[in-house]
Amino acid sequence: MTREVGIGVIAMGWMGMTHSRAYQQVVNRFPDSGVVPRLKVCADTDSDRTNEACRRFGFERTAEDWREVLDDPDVEVVSITSPNWLHREMCLAALEAGKHVFCEKPVGREPSETREIAAAAQAAGLLTFTGFCYRWSPVVQHLLALIKEGRLGQVTHYRGRFFCGYGHNPKSVLSWRFDRNKAGFGVLGDLMSHALDMALMLAGPVAEVVSENETFISERPIPSQAGTHFAVSEDGPVAAVTNEDYVGAMVRFANGARGTLEVCRVIGGSDCEHTFELNGTKGSARWNFERMNELELFLDDQAVERPGYARLQSRPEFPRHGDFNPGGAVGLGYEDLMTIEVHEFLRGVVAGEPVEPSFEQIARVADVQAAMARSWETRTWENVTAE
Ligand SMILES: NC(=O)c1ccc[n+]([C@@H]2O[C@H](COP(=O)([O-])OP(=O)(O)OC[C@H]3O[C@@H](n4cnc5c(N)ncnc54)[C@H](O)[C@@H]3O)[C@@H](O)[C@H]2O)c1
């Protein structure tokens, strides 16, 4: 049996295009799941972008005012892929309009906005989802299953890192990401949200943190036109960067494990190095998104045959790999993770059941971010509390 789900996408930048392509791939990749997304309407203040989205993805219509998406009775699910300063207003309005909402991380500019949005979703009883795409890598899901089976024992240590190069060049323009009023926090929201989602999923809740931040490049060229966050401008006026380039933290997990988390957007060499290393009493694992189809794994119970780390390639036996490729080591890419995530959400919508990572998960992430930000001021350990 098939079930059609009307989709609206708000803001057709990088993520709006990516979400649209992912919805388009659902029937192609998951033909037996019965979920059939219908791309109804896309909205952006830039009509060139919505027209291009229509041409590429076959949306039935476009809108310049995002509220039209929420007024459309055929739209059941809304993807909110706008810059952070618009998340709060758009999410609250979408929930008010009775839509199920998939909002890109960090869901608001600050932990207080994230929690407000999550509370509204809970009160509305609607389904929500967040763009923590990296967790859907088949090798990461395979590791999660092993951890749940107890194969790695009790987690004792976790090291997470997300190093990016998009701000490495001081001539990279002052896009909204570098503006406190528009983005809210800098990498605490942008990159630490991803690192924390992974850490909480694999190692459990965080109890305490001590954290530092820094802005290494204090001013950047003002963009002369709308561009991507990879745009560079060699001349012209500059203005101040008003949020942080770097956040580092030591963390104590509730289960007693110790760890470190570090994120930075001005690293040369690492373009998208989202990586973790997890050590348990019976095994260890490490992963790096830049080689997202590989997992390094050591298990005590296989130590005789495989002393030290073994390098596993993603393969059809791992969750969702077989929906993309029938062969081992025939790898998936970033946008395949997006296809998996929109399918997971739509399965939940069709079943009427909450799915993770919902706004509850991003609220848990926000609680840790809030403790990190407090620690920048107090320069000491801070408890993670739900506020
Ligand atoms: N999950 C991930 O891996 C990932 C990656 C990149 C970005 N993101 C998140 O996605 C969101 C969007 O980032 P992006 O890189 O796609 O941004 P972007 O700058 O590429 O695009 C933003 C779009 O929003 C549009 N817009 C601005 N104001 C609008 C309004 N009032 N109504 C409708 N549209 C409006 C702009 O015209 C533009 O098309 C951010 O919250 C970001 O954190 C997530």
Side-chain angles (χ1 to χ4, degrees), residues 162-222:
F162 200 159
F163 281 176
C164 273
Y166 69 80
H168 178 62
N169 183 345
K171 302 287 186 188
S172 292
V173 296
L174 191 86
S175 72
W176 61 263
R177 280 179 167 78
F178 300 94
D179 182 337
R180 178 74 195 236
N181 288 326
K182 292 179 175 168
F185 283 115
V187 290
L188 184 68
D190 190 21
L191 303 178
M192 188 61 90
S193 58
H194 282 299
L196 274 168
D197 176 61
M198 197 69 95
L200 300 184
M201 180 178 80
L202 296 174
V206 171
E208 283 180 277
V209 299
V210 61
S211 177
E212 274 212 312
N213 69 332
E214 183 56 285
T215 304
F216 293 113
I217 299 176
S218 58
E219 54 185 32
R220 292 179 181 276
I222 299 168

Side-chain angles (χ1 to χ4, degrees), residues 10-16 43-46 49 66 81-87 90 104-106 131 133-134 176-177 190 194 227 229 334 338:
I10 296 177
M12 301 311 293
W14 179 17
M15 280 303 108
D44 199 294
T45 43
D46 181 342
R49 293 189 176 198
W66 56 269
T81 51
S82 54
N84 304 354
W85 79 90
L86 293 162
H87 289 177
M90 289 176 173
E104 267 302 334
K105 43 59 63 175
C133 49
Y134 301 95
W176 61 263
R177 280 179 167 78
D190 190 21
H194 282 299
H229 81 289
Y334 175 71
M338 298 278 187

